[in-house]
Amino acid sequence: MATLGRVCSKILQFKVKSLKARQCFVTFRDPKTVRVISTACVCVAGGGLLLYIGHRLGKLHTVHALKPRKVDDELVRAVKLTSRERRFIKFASVEYDGQLYMTPQDFLESVVEQEPRPRLKRRQLSDRDLDMIRDITPSLKQGSTQMFRSMRDKGIISYTEYLFLLSVLTKPQTGFRIAFNMFDTDGNQRVDKNEFLVMEKIFSHAWKGKHGIPETIPREEDKRQPQPLVEDYVDDEQGLQRKHVVDTTLLVHFFGKKGKDEFRFEGFKRFMENLQTEVLELEFHEFSKGHDTITEVDFAKILLRYTHLDTNEYDMYLDRLLDRIKEEKGITFEEFRVFCQFLNNLEDFTIAMRMYTLADHSISKDEFMRAVKICTGTSLSRHLVHTVFQIFDEDGDGQLSYREFIAIMKDRLHRGFKSYAKNEGWDAFKSCVKQEMKTPV
């Protein structure tokens, strides 16, 4: 009321001042001039009055749509998340009981796409939805290279399982046995549900240490009590699972609906091979467009798509390949798959290459093929090796710039956690047009 009274007082003062101003012009002899000046003064005074009232009333009824402090708090919380945690939250499209989950389709998109599919909000799962997911999940014996694609959004994957699946994609064949033995804690060559869930406990402890949360030491009387299947639940306020209150798709796939099944090494190996092949098929078919082969340029784009290269560097590699290709033969899926398996053995290949580094000696195509054969036990086709050399051989002398090759291929293994700036915006459009114009017809 006091504020309203002050506003009304100001209004009266303005009216008095405007009347006095109008009266002072009566001394002019020209009535026309008097009318013009009087009208102008009234307009100015009236306009000022309106501005003043709007200013005062605006202060009384200011509405803040978003408080800056809230944004700052959210940013602070986001800084605590790792790149993998942020990516999981970004792609997870379903939620149950306050916890976020990926679908099988979400996972595939998270490793081959820059952004998730547009959606209005996350889908809330009911108990009936979870029952349906358990009913349609295939057993380990029914696994295939199409499983994730065929299930699409009819499945759930937790954050810890997401980390496990990411590690599967970069495991070499020799690492399959090591991974199995890590799960097989009692050494009986079989993994049960309890042993598999140890993974979650490990990730839970790692998360605690990273975020400075002290570990709780169990009391002696607590040790004597039966422990739950997975303890040490951590509520990180981000919806990332640190324990399972529900059976996920992977748990049902590995251990059955009742959780009583076990898997041996052969079944585990087959699962890992199927997942690696499925992701590679997804990448390959994106470029093959239904054909049996992809072009050499498309092969280069797949190799470079996850790297840290800026647009100019990215174009330089493609331009170099286009200038040197005289005839396109194409790259088959089998050639592509074997090469990607070699990349999973990149650490061993790096050790082999250090011999040439110590001798200050570059590497030829034959030496490259021999090193790959020693590290992986498989042979790369001569055409694929020739294509790799055309991409990474800087001066065209038939010798590989293998240091740069290894650095870029390591980026390739970190798929989904690098910048995609070279594939976006006007620069990407210009680059696409330029490459299409150069591509042989």
Side-chain angles (χ1 to χ4, degrees):
M1 291 298 292
T3 304
L4 183 59
R6 288 196 296 271
V7 173
C8 292
S9 176
K10 290 290 185 179
I11 294 174
L12 292 175
Q13 292 177 19
F14 269 110
K15 286 184 177 180
V16 172
K17 290 180 180 179
S18 63
L19 288 173
K20 289 182 178 180
R22 186 174 181 182
Q23 290 175 358
C24 74
F25 289 107
V26 177
T27 55
F28 286 95
R29 295 180 179 178
D30 185 1
K32 184 177 181 180
T33 303
V34 172
R35 286 195 301 271
V36 171
I37 295 177
S38 300
T39 303
C41 288
V42 171
C43 290
V44 171
L49 175 63
L50 291 175
L51 288 174
Y52 179 80
I53 294 173
H55 175 69
R56 294 305 298 266
L57 293 179
K59 285 187 175 180
L60 293 175
H61 301 284
T62 301
V63 177
H64 298 283
L66 184 63
K67 295 181 180 179
R69 174 173 289 184
K70 184 177 181 181
V71 175
D72 293 341
D73 291 343
E74 290 178 353
L75 290 176
V76 168
R77 285 201 301 270
V79 169
K80 297 179 181 178
L81 298 174
T82 66
S83 59
R84 287 175 174 81
E85 288 171 336
R86 289 194 298 269
R87 193 159 182 84
F88 179 86
I89 293 172
K90 186 177 185 178
F91 279 82
S93 66
V94 296
E95 182 176 342
Y96 176 77
D97 195 24
Q99 297 294 305
L100 304 183
Y101 293 90
M102 277 184 171
T103 65
Q105 183 171 341
D106 291 338
F107 173 75
L108 293 178
E109 290 179 353
S110 73
V111 294
V112 300
E113 301 290 346
Q114 175 194 356
E115 297 289 338
R117 288 171 292 121
R119 61 173 183 264
L120 295 177
K121 60 181 180 179
R122 289 190 178 92
R123 182 163 56 98
Q124 299 292 324
L125 297 179
S126 64
D127 292 337
R128 184 177 179 181
D129 293 327
L130 295 180
D131 291 338
M132 183 269 295
I133 287 174
R134 283 193 289 267
D135 289 339
I136 67 172
T137 300
S139 65
L140 189 60
K141 294 180 180 180
Q142 298 172 317
S144 70
T145 59
Q146 298 282 334
M147 188 180 83
F148 279 66
R149 283 173 288 182
S150 61
M151 294 192 70
R152 297 181 63 83
D153 61 346
K154 302 300 188 294
I156 55 173
I157 298 169
S158 73
Y159 172 68
T160 50
E161 291 170 342
Y162 166 68
L163 296 180
F164 163 66
L165 294 175
L166 285 180
S167 70
V168 168
L169 295 180
T170 57
K171 279 283 184 293
Q173 294 281 338
T174 53
F176 290 177
R177 172 61 73 173
I178 296 174
F180 177 84
N181 289 340
M182 290 298 292
F183 285 119
D184 183 18
T185 55
D186 58 8
N188 66 350
Q189 298 304 305
R190 295 188 302 271
V191 174
D192 58 28
K193 187 176 181 179
N194 285 337
E195 289 176 317
F196 186 78
L197 287 176
V198 168
M199 172 184 65
E200 294 188 324
K201 187 174 181 180
I202 293 173
F203 282 123
S204 175
H205 284 285
W207 186 90
K208 279 185 174 182
K210 179 168 67 71
H211 291 77
I213 299 176
E215 296 286 353
T216 56
I217 302 175
R219 298 173 299 177
E220 287 299 324
E221 55 267 26
D222 293 337
K223 291 181 180 180
R224 302 189 192 100
Q225 300 297 323
Q227 296 297 313
L229 191 62
V230 179
E231 65 273 12
D232 296 323
Y233 171 70
V234 177
D235 181 9
D236 60 6
E237 298 181 354
Q238 299 292 342
L240 299 177
Q241 296 79 17
R242 307 299 165 185
K243 72 172 184 179
H244 283 306
V245 295
V246 295
D247 282 342
T248 61
T249 297
L250 280 187
L251 291 179
V252 177
H253 180 63
F254 286 147
F255 308 107
K257 295 179 183 179
K258 297 182 179 180
K260 302 297 183 181
D261 296 347
E262 300 174 328
F263 63 76
R264 297 178 180 272
F265 173 69
E266 287 305 318
F268 184 65
K269 177 184 176 183
R270 186 167 56 251
F271 168 80
M272 299 181 78
E273 290 175 341
N274 286 341
L275 180 61
Q276 288 185 354
T277 300
E278 182 162 9
V279 171
L280 293 179
E281 284 180 352
L282 197 63
E283 285 188 289
F284 186 86
H285 294 328
E286 178 185 348
F287 287 88
S288 67
K289 301 295 189 295
H291 297 286
D292 294 332
T293 62
I294 57 175
T295 67
E296 288 78 0
V297 173
D298 287 339
F299 173 71
K301 289 179 179 177
I302 293 178
L303 293 188
L304 301 175
R305 72 189 304 187
Y306 301 113
T307 62
H308 65 280
L309 300 173
D310 61 32
T311 302
N312 291 332
E313 291 174 316
Y314 178 80
D315 288 344
M316 178 191 71
Y317 284 102
L318 296 185
D319 289 342
R320 182 188 298 166
L321 178 61
L322 284 168
D323 291 340
R324 294 174 179 177
I325 289 181
K326 304 303 179 184
E327 179 183 0
E328 284 191 1
K329 295 182 179 179
I331 305 293
T332 66
F333 176 73
E334 184 59 23
E335 289 177 310
F336 174 67
R337 186 184 66 82
V338 172
F339 182 80
C340 290
Q341 286 182 342
F342 150 65
L343 293 184
N344 286 346
N345 290 270
L346 200 59
E347 290 299 326
D348 292 337
F349 181 78
T350 302
I351 294 173
M353 290 300 95
R354 285 175 186 163
M355 296 176 59
Y356 294 95
T357 303
L358 292 172
D360 195 24
H361 175 66
S362 54
I363 184 171
S364 66
K365 294 178 183 177
D366 288 340
E367 290 166 334
F368 182 87
M369 294 181 67
R370 179 169 175 268
V372 172
K373 175 70 173 178
I374 292 172
C375 294
T376 66
T378 57
S379 300
L380 299 178
S381 70
R382 285 201 167 271
H383 174 60
L384 187 139
V385 172
H386 175 73
T387 302
V388 169
F389 270 64
Q390 301 315 304
I391 299 172
F392 294 98
D393 179 6
E394 291 182 353
D395 53 11
D397 63 351
Q399 303 293 311
L400 181 69
S401 309
Y402 57 85
R403 291 180 184 175
E404 188 174 10
F405 166 76
I406 289 175
I408 292 177
M409 291 303 98
K410 283 184 177 180
D411 281 337
R412 153 79 187 178
L413 292 177
H414 291 90
R415 60 170 78 222
F417 303 102
K418 293 293 182 180
S419 171
Y420 292 81
K422 62 180 175 293
N423 295 328
E424 299 174 349
W426 174 245
D427 289 339
F429 175 74
K430 290 191 296 184
S431 174
C432 179
V433 172
K434 183 169 65 174
Q435 300 303 335
E436 288 299 325
M437 293 177 65
K438 288 186 176 183
T439 302
V441 178

